[in-house]
């Protein structure tokens, strides 16, 4: 067997149904906090206030200004509230935007985090933070970023709109796909990644057809956890580099961008990642993994073209520049002609091409 290194991130996970009423208070009590702050986006402020009703034993506050791509100015505003209220614990209720804000605060304060994901983004399972400033998104990893507790309450995903369920789920699959050909890939993570892809690829079509299907929602949330665990354990490659560049440069929606880029990034790397292709194909029941991911997105009604997200065609030049400026490791060498072809097909919404 090829030598490998595997590092498990320390995190306490509660997975189940109807957990919100009791589990959050239990975790706040367990860590000895007195003044937790609930973080949400403006759209989920009412959910945050509902959660606060279960935390009346504590001096609870709410910050509802989380924004996509974790802008530094938003983090600094939240930090003012944290200092003023003497917050001693962060409770992130929401998707990647909210969990990212909690991570950004924790990086600066080392406050304890309780993450309660309501999407399949998987950010809660990683020690990775991406922040945006002046149109550029940068990432870093630190033990201070990793949430100490994750509460997966399947009930919270039942109201997740089918369209967002689809893109959030494929965004999660992207973590596992790149984990399979990561420079730090190892047998343990490969098992986790493959199972995560299988769970999501089977659960997403079911929940799109029946959004109230609790078993399908459970499978998707379980898969998202596994895919997020993959993201948190190994490095990523060109797919994530491109998505971060696109998000930072054009403020494109996170999960939709990942959904569009994934099949093309896998096709770009395909000649160099035969084992990953085999595992993805096995999980999805296909012999053409890039095309299967593209067709999965189409079958779920998810976007397949960057132009439909508002990206201008001339923006391809900017993304190529950013990709070469700060290069990620990638199994396939970065070649400008191939990279432009990838981005053009993704912009137009064409199927992926293995060249």
């Amino acid at each position: 067997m090829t030598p490998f290194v595997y590092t498990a991130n320390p995190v306490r996970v509660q997975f189940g149904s109807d957990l919100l009423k009791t589990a959050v208070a239990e975790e706040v009590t367990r860590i000895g906090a007195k003044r937790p702050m609930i973080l949400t986006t403006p759209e989920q402020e009412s959910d945050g206030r509902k959660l606060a009703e279960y935390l009346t034993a504590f001096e609870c506050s709410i910050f509802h200004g989380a924004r996509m791509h974790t802008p530094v100015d938003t983090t600094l505003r939240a930090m003012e509230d944290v200092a003023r209220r003497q917050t001693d614990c962060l409770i992130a209720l929401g998707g990647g935007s909210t969990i990212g804000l909690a991570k950004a605060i924790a990086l600066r304060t080392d406050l304890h985090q309780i993450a309660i994901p309501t999407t399949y983004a998987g950010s809660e399972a990683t020690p990775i933070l991406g922040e945006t400033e002046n149109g550029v998104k940068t990432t870093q990893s630190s033990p201070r970023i990793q949430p100490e507790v994750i509460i997966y309450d399947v009930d919270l995903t039942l109201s997740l709109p089918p369209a967002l369920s689809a893109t959030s789920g494929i965004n999660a699959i992207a973590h596992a796909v790149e984990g399979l050909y990561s420079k730090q890939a190892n047998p343990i993570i490969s098992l986790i990644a493959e199972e995560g892809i299988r769970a999501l690829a089977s659960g997403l079509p079911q929940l799109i057809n029946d959004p109230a299907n609790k078993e399908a929602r459970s499978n998707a949330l379980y898969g998202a956890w596994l895919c997020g665990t993959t993201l948190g354990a190994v490095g990523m490659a060109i797919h994530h580099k491109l998505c971060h560049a696109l998000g930072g440069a054009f403020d494109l929606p996170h999960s939709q961008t990942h959904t569009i880029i994934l099949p093309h990034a896998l096709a770009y790397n395909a000649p160099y990642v035969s084992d990953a292709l085999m595992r993805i194909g096995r999980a999805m029941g296909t012999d053409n993994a890039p095309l299967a991911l593209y067709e999965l997105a189409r079958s779920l009604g998810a976007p397949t073209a960057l132009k439909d997200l508002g990206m201008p065609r001339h923006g391809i030049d900017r993304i190529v520049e950013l990709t070469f400026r700060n290069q990620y490791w990638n199994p396939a060498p970065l070649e400008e002609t191939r990279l432009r072809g990838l981005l053009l097909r993704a912009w137009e919404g064409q199927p992926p091409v293995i060249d």
Side-chain angles (χ1 to χ4, degrees):
M1 179 177 288
T2 303
F4 65 90
V5 174
Y6 170 64
T7 301
N9 292 318
V11 60
R12 174 180 165 88
V13 175
Q14 288 202 45
F15 191 108
S17 179
D18 197 27
L19 295 177
L20 209 61
K21 294 178 182 178
T22 58
V24 184
E26 289 173 0
E27 294 297 339
V28 174
T29 299
R30 188 178 63 83
I31 65 174
K34 304 294 185 183
R35 295 176 296 278
M37 175 178 286
I38 298 171
L39 306 173
T40 74
T41 60
E43 294 78 11
Q44 290 186 290
E45 180 184 2
S46 61
D47 297 326
R49 296 198 179 283
K50 183 176 180 180
L51 174 57
E53 293 175 4
Y54 303 136
L55 300 175
T56 54
F58 309 96
E59 297 177 38
C60 193
S61 60
I62 300 174
F63 180 88
H64 55 84
R67 292 168 54 204
M68 188 169 59
H69 303 305
T70 320
V72 171
D73 60 346
T74 297
T75 299
L76 296 179
R77 284 198 299 108
M79 291 279 295
E80 293 175 359
D81 276 15
V82 166
R84 183 172 64 254
R85 299 176 182 276
Q86 297 183 307
T87 298
D88 58 6
C89 171
L90 303 168
I91 303 173
L93 176 64
S97 298
T98 301
I99 291 169
L101 175 59
K103 288 178 168 185
I105 297 170
L107 176 65
R108 294 162 171 81
T109 63
D110 206 23
L111 285 174
H112 194 106
Q113 299 175 73
I114 299 173
I116 311 172
T118 59
T119 71
Y120 306 129
S123 175
E124 69 282 349
T126 79
I128 302 166
L129 170 64
E131 296 183 286
T132 303
E133 189 171 24
N134 299 322
V136 177
K137 190 168 186 177
T138 57
T139 61
Q140 59 182 305
S141 180
S142 166
R144 292 163 70 101
I145 295 170
Q146 174 75 56
E148 287 79 5
V149 174
I150 309 171
I151 297 175
Y152 288 107
D153 189 333
V154 175
D155 296 341
L156 299 180
T157 66
L158 292 175
S159 60
L160 187 65
L164 184 54
S165 297
T167 57
S168 180
I170 297 178
N171 176 27
I173 290 175
H175 308 329
V177 166
E178 290 227 295
L180 285 170
Y181 55 66
S182 169
K183 189 176 183 179
Q184 295 82 29
N186 61 74
I188 306 305
I189 285 301
S190 292
L191 289 170
I192 292 172
E194 184 176 339
E195 172 66 0
I197 295 170
R198 184 207 61 77
L200 277 160
S202 63
L204 288 174
Q206 295 174 7
L207 69 84
I208 293 297
N209 291 329
D210 180 9
N213 185 329
K214 207 164 185 176
E215 184 63 23
R217 290 286 186 182
S218 294
N219 286 336
L221 192 59
Y222 164 67
W225 171 40
L226 297 178
C227 292
T229 299
T230 300
L231 174 64
V234 297
M236 297 286 105
I238 191 173
H239 167 82
H240 281 75
K241 173 62 177 178
L242 291 174
C243 291
H244 288 160
L246 286 160
F250 302 109
D251 199 31
L252 301 186
H254 182 85
S255 64
Q256 291 91 330
T257 303
H258 278 263
T259 296
I260 293 168
I261 291 294
L262 178 58
H264 302 282
L266 180 57
Y268 185 98
N269 283 323
Y272 298 83
V273 295
S274 57
D275 183 69
L277 285 175
M278 181 272 294
R279 288 179 178 273
I280 299 163
R282 185 165 60 194
M284 299 186 69
T286 181
D287 59 2
N288 188 331
L291 184 60
L293 289 166
Y294 177 83
E295 293 296 345
L296 175 63
R298 289 187 62 191
S299 71
L300 300 176
T304 57
L306 290 173
K307 64 182 180 181
D308 293 339
L309 302 185
M311 177 191 166
R313 178 168 176 162
H314 64 76
I316 291 175
D317 293 337
R318 173 66 171 158
I319 301 308
V320 170
E321 175 195 347
L322 289 171
T323 303
F324 278 93
R325 181 187 299 174
N326 297 298
Q327 296 186 24
Y328 277 26
W329 177 88
N330 192 65
L334 292 185
E335 300 172 6
E336 184 172 342
T337 299
R338 292 190 69 215
L339 183 59
R340 286 185 180 277
L342 180 166
L343 288 167
L344 182 58
R345 285 188 287 273
W347 187 82
E348 294 178 338
Q350 296 178 358
V353 173
I354 299 175
D355 54 12

